[in-house]
Amino acid sequence: MGSRCERKRMNVEGDRLSSLPDDIIHKILSFVSTKHVVETSVLSSRWRYIWTSMPSLNFSNKDFHTLPKFSKFVKHVLSGRNNQMEVFSIELTFHGKVSLKRILNYILNYTVSHNVQQLSVTCLLRKIEVPLSLFSSPSLKHLTPSGFTFEISVTTLSTWELPSLATLNLHFVTFYEENSQNTDKCVGLFSNFANLKNLTLDNCRMIGALDRFNICHPGLCSLTLEHVCGGGNVVTPQLKNLTVNHWRGKHLISAPNLSSLHYKDCYYKSYNFYDDGYSSLKLSTDLLHLEKADVCVKYSKEDKASAHEIVGLLQQLRMLVLVFNLLFL
């Protein structure tokens, strides 16, 4: 009698998850891959169609032995979804040397046609070029392409049409500037994204006519530049937070409303403007709204020009309580 009651109690407690509302179950399942979510359909009738209404999808070819099986699974999930339930985000991860073009195009077309708001594409150990179908999504708000040692490449961003994009995170991306006639320093790579607020460039580089990153945007609020190759100008009147960590080249920053500055670099030296061997940061105006600055630079104590420029930077920050580290070679 006791064991029967015990089994009944365990069944009731074990089914508490099934009694949760769909949105809570969706939240829990968002932390696992879509393959595992689909596998829950065998648990009971309650779980049979949960996967069809998931607002977030996470695909990885690492969950499959062959690429054809992975492609078939992705198409099965996207075609079998309940289209009355919107897809908010899609995360796509590729591992190893596999052919990505067809499945990536399929994902991108679905993103555009179903008004997906958040897209993350991670490519490990395989070079890919972002196809043009990505460049015309009216709904996309968050975009994160991530590569490995510059494995993701895109052509000039001037043709991208992402009017709703608010957050753009680029990791190990190579840009190819094809317009050799465009020499206007105020024409920025990201000026086409009218609603862009947050931008991160991590281990990115520019190859082409200018070999420079010019970031000019009237509404950008937060900018992070880490291990970026190539100098350039930053013209961002509404920028509040700026993080620069090893941005090689000479840079002119125009951000009059900046409130937080984090700057770290290994070299600080005057040199020819297009030589990227050393780094130099200059502020075009005093930062009257700056509340916090954390500056760490390493340079040769025998380099008088660098010392003079650092003093100039300090003078512009003189009204602040700031952290400043000088590392002598």
Side-chain angles (χ1 to χ4, degrees):
M1 184 70 175
S3 60
R4 183 184 301 175
C5 293
E6 181 68 17
R7 285 195 301 269
K8 183 177 180 180
R9 184 182 66 83
M10 291 178 63
N11 289 336
V12 171
E13 291 181 352
D15 200 39
R16 286 180 179 177
L17 187 60
S18 297
S19 64
L20 294 174
D22 282 3
D23 57 340
I24 301 297
I25 294 179
H26 289 158
K27 182 63 175 179
I28 295 172
L29 294 179
S30 68
F31 294 100
V32 301
S33 71
T34 299
K35 180 177 183 293
H36 293 147
V37 174
V38 173
E39 288 172 347
T40 65
S41 61
V42 301
L43 296 178
S44 67
S45 58
R46 170 73 175 93
W47 291 85
R48 186 175 182 181
Y49 298 107
I50 285 291
W51 66 272
T52 66
S53 58
M54 285 290 294
S56 59
L57 301 174
N58 183 355
F59 298 111
S60 173
N61 72 318
K62 195 175 182 180
D63 295 329
F64 298 85
H65 295 296
T66 66
L67 184 62
K69 289 183 177 180
F70 174 58
S71 299
K72 183 178 180 180
F73 174 78
V74 171
K75 293 179 179 180
H76 168 71
V77 170
L78 296 182
S79 62
R81 289 195 76 262
N82 180 356
N83 288 326
Q84 294 182 348
M85 306 296 295
E86 292 186 352
V87 179
F88 174 77
S89 68
I90 296 179
E91 183 174 345
L92 182 64
T93 304
F94 292 104
H95 298 261
K97 297 182 178 181
V98 296
S99 178
L100 311 176
K101 187 174 182 180
R102 182 175 298 180
I103 189 64
L104 183 56
N105 275 326
Y106 193 84
I107 291 287
L108 296 179
N109 289 333
Y110 187 91
T111 298
V112 174
S113 62
H114 288 75
N115 298 319
V116 176
Q117 297 184 30
Q118 185 169 321
L119 175 65
S120 175
V121 178
T122 301
C123 174
L124 303 177
L125 303 178
R126 178 69 178 185
K127 186 174 182 178
I128 63 171
E129 182 175 350
V130 178
L132 291 175
S133 58
L134 173 62
F135 304 162
S136 58
S137 172
S139 62
L140 199 63
K141 295 182 179 180
H142 304 272
L143 175 62
T144 303
S146 302
F148 182 79
T149 61
F150 306 108
E151 292 298 336
I152 290 183
S153 62
V154 297
T155 54
T156 177
L157 300 180
S158 60
T159 57
W160 287 28
E161 295 180 8
L162 303 172
S164 300
L165 193 68
T167 300
L168 178 61
N169 302 311
L170 300 166
H171 305 275
F172 289 97
V173 174
T174 299
F175 297 94
Y176 291 92
E177 176 58 60
E178 296 180 338
N179 186 5
S180 59
Q181 302 298 321
N182 182 14
T183 58
D184 188 351
K185 294 180 180 180
C186 291
V187 176
L189 280 172
F190 310 98
S191 56
N192 253 17
F193 308 148
N195 289 302
L196 190 64
K197 301 299 181 184
N198 308 293
L199 174 63
T200 296
L201 299 180
D202 175 20
N203 282 279
C204 295
R205 62 181 178 177
M206 169 71 75
I207 296 177
L210 298 179
D211 293 333
R212 299 170 53 74
F213 282 98
N214 288 326
I215 300 173
C216 307
H217 198 286
L220 197 65
C221 296
S222 179
L223 175 61
T224 299
L225 304 164
E226 298 199 32
H227 302 280
V228 175
C229 300
N233 300 324
V234 174
V235 181
T236 49
Q238 299 302 319
L239 193 68
K240 301 296 184 183
N241 302 299
L242 174 61
T243 298
V244 178
N245 182 9
H246 297 91
W247 182 14
R248 299 188 66 186
K250 190 171 182 178
H251 325 297
L252 180 64
I253 308 295
S254 176
N257 287 301
L258 197 67
S259 60
S260 176
L261 170 65
H262 297 267
Y263 176 62
K264 181 178 181 180
D265 221 315
C266 291
Y267 302 94
Y268 201 104
K269 184 178 180 179
S270 298
Y271 61 100
N272 182 277
F273 200 84
Y274 293 100
D275 177 11
D276 66 354
Y278 295 92
S279 299
S280 175
L281 182 144
K282 289 186 178 181
L283 305 173
S284 63
T285 59
D286 289 336
L287 304 179
L288 302 180
H289 302 282
L290 197 62
E291 299 176 357
K292 179 181 179 181
D294 187 350
V295 180
C296 178
V297 293
K298 180 191 293 186
Y299 74 103
S300 172
K301 60 183 178 181
E302 298 177 355
D303 183 1
K304 304 299 183 182
S306 292
H308 178 73
E309 291 190 22
I310 291 175
V311 170
L313 180 61
L314 278 172
Q315 289 176 340
Q316 288 186 291
L317 304 175
R318 64 186 180 276
M319 302 303 292
L320 297 171
V321 176
L322 76 150
V323 178
F324 201 102
N325 299 310
L326 298 180
L327 304 179
F328 296 96
L329 295 178

